Amino acid sequence: MKKQLVSIVVPSYNQAQYLDEALKSVLDQVYQEWECLIVNDGSPDNTREIAEKWTEKDSRFIYLEKINSGLSGARNYGIECAKGVFILPLDADDIISSEYISLAVKSFEANNDIKVVYCKAEKFGDDSGIWELPEFSRLLLCQRNLIFCSAMFRKSDWQTVGGYDLKMIYGWEDWEFWIAVLKNGGEVKCLDEIGFYYRIKETSMLKQLDESKINYLYEYISIKHADFFVTQLGSFQKLLENVEKAKNENNQKLKSEKFVIDAFCSRFFGFSVFGIYKNKKQV
């Protein structure tokens, strides 16, 4: 049986110094039926020079160039051009193990109900060690992202949901994408092997998120996927009833609206608003 093509999409913006390592990890794959689309997202560095060196080395590397539009736009452009049945995004500063694609494809072939395959992960760079990720569930997916960007999915599912959302301009585009792909069903498989290595750097887009950007992202995801949150958490009226019940049961502890909000956020989003505020004041 002919093996199905996997398209690895590598956006690059000011990441040229790491690109060789990422592409070397692609070249080392045990699974040979792949193409790798390197998307230069209007980068001012020498991304083109490095990418073209790899296209000369192996014709499965394909160089694409576009006007800068951000990570979602660069991924979408690469996936649009991709010929593979399966898509694996790979950021230009990360790397994958040689077995990752082979094991992921086998998982898809063994179960047609699977929509997303990812794996255990490890950090490297400015920090190192196992990246502890909680076991996937849709309920937890309501609270935070559980799957890193380099998970494999079918191009057809990307087409169904309209790709990565360009309005996720500050980040968290992976979280929104996984919600879109998985909210109406489908299984998720986490491989029991370390197949993804995530580079930790002193500066990153996520580390630059401030309160206003975070609020924008939460509000946008909540409105766009309100059906998903209601399905997993219950109606908004039910949420209010739960808060009121908690207030009544803990009357001495929950005497103000502040404590009610804090209990709500701790229950459904996993953080304490006023604990964060207190810590900020102490810094």
Side-chain angles (χ1 to χ4, degrees), residues 95-109:
I95 57 179
I96 52 176
S97 73
S98 61
E99 297 277 352
Y100 186 24
I101 291 178
S102 176
L103 293 172
V105 171
K106 287 179 182 177
S107 296
F108 278 108
E109 291 175 343

Side-chain angles (χ1 to χ4, degrees), residues 11-39:
S12 184
Y13 181 81
N14 278 344
Q15 303 292 336
Q17 67 268 39
Y18 307 118
L19 189 56
D20 277 333
E21 291 180 78
L23 300 183
K24 175 65 163 54
S25 74
V26 173
L27 187 64
D28 289 343
Q29 290 303 298
V30 170
Y31 192 87
Q32 291 291 299
E33 293 300 316
W34 56 264
E35 62 174 1
C36 181
L37 299 98
I38 309 159
V39 183

Side-chain angles (χ1 to χ4, degrees), residues 257-276:
E257 184 181 358
K258 289 183 179 180
F259 285 109
V260 175
I261 294 172
D262 206 44
F264 175 82
C265 291
S266 296
R267 170 64 180 84
F268 294 109
F269 298 106
F271 65 86
S272 170
V273 172
F274 297 101
I276 293 172

Side-chain angles (χ1 to χ4, degrees), residues 49-67:
E49 176 186 343
I50 292 174
E52 289 182 340
K53 178 183 68 176
W54 286 89
T55 61
E56 293 171 2
K57 181 181 296 189
D58 192 310
S59 61
R60 291 175 295 178
F61 288 104
I62 301 163
Y63 176 70
L64 303 172
E65 204 170 77
K66 65 184 296 299
I67 297 173

Side-chain angles (χ1 to χ4, degrees), residues 138-155:
R138 284 174 173 78
L139 181 59
L140 277 179
L141 189 62
C142 288
Q143 301 173 35
R144 61 188 184 278
N145 190 17
L146 305 172
I147 307 173
F148 45 73
C149 70
S150 291
M152 190 180 291
F153 52 89
R154 292 180 180 84
K155 182 174 179 177

Side-chain angles (χ1 to χ4, degrees), residues 31 87-88 115 265:
Y31 192 87
I87 304 295
L88 180 68
K115 282 194 172 183
C265 291

Side-chain angles (χ1 to χ4, degrees), residues 198-261:
Y198 179 65
R199 189 186 299 271
I200 304 295
K201 296 179 292 185
E202 185 177 348
T203 58
S204 68
M205 186 169 70
L206 289 179
K207 290 180 180 179
Q208 295 173 357
L209 286 178
D210 57 28
E211 186 176 356
S212 64
K213 293 176 181 178
I214 289 173
N215 288 340
Y216 165 82
L217 293 172
Y218 270 131
E219 182 175 320
Y220 181 77
I221 292 176
S222 298
I223 293 172
K224 180 176 180 180
H225 297 295
D227 55 340
F228 174 65
F229 290 103
V230 169
T231 298
Q232 296 301 316
L233 301 175
S235 68
F236 297 117
Q237 180 61 37
K238 187 65 176 178
L239 294 180
L240 292 174
E241 289 175 3
N242 288 339
V243 172
E244 188 62 28
K245 181 179 179 181
K247 182 178 178 181
N248 293 334
E249 290 177 351
N250 301 277
N251 192 44
Q252 294 303 315
K253 195 173 183 180
L254 304 177
K255 291 183 177 180
S256 70
E257 184 181 358
K258 289 183 179 180
F259 285 109
V260 175
I261 294 172

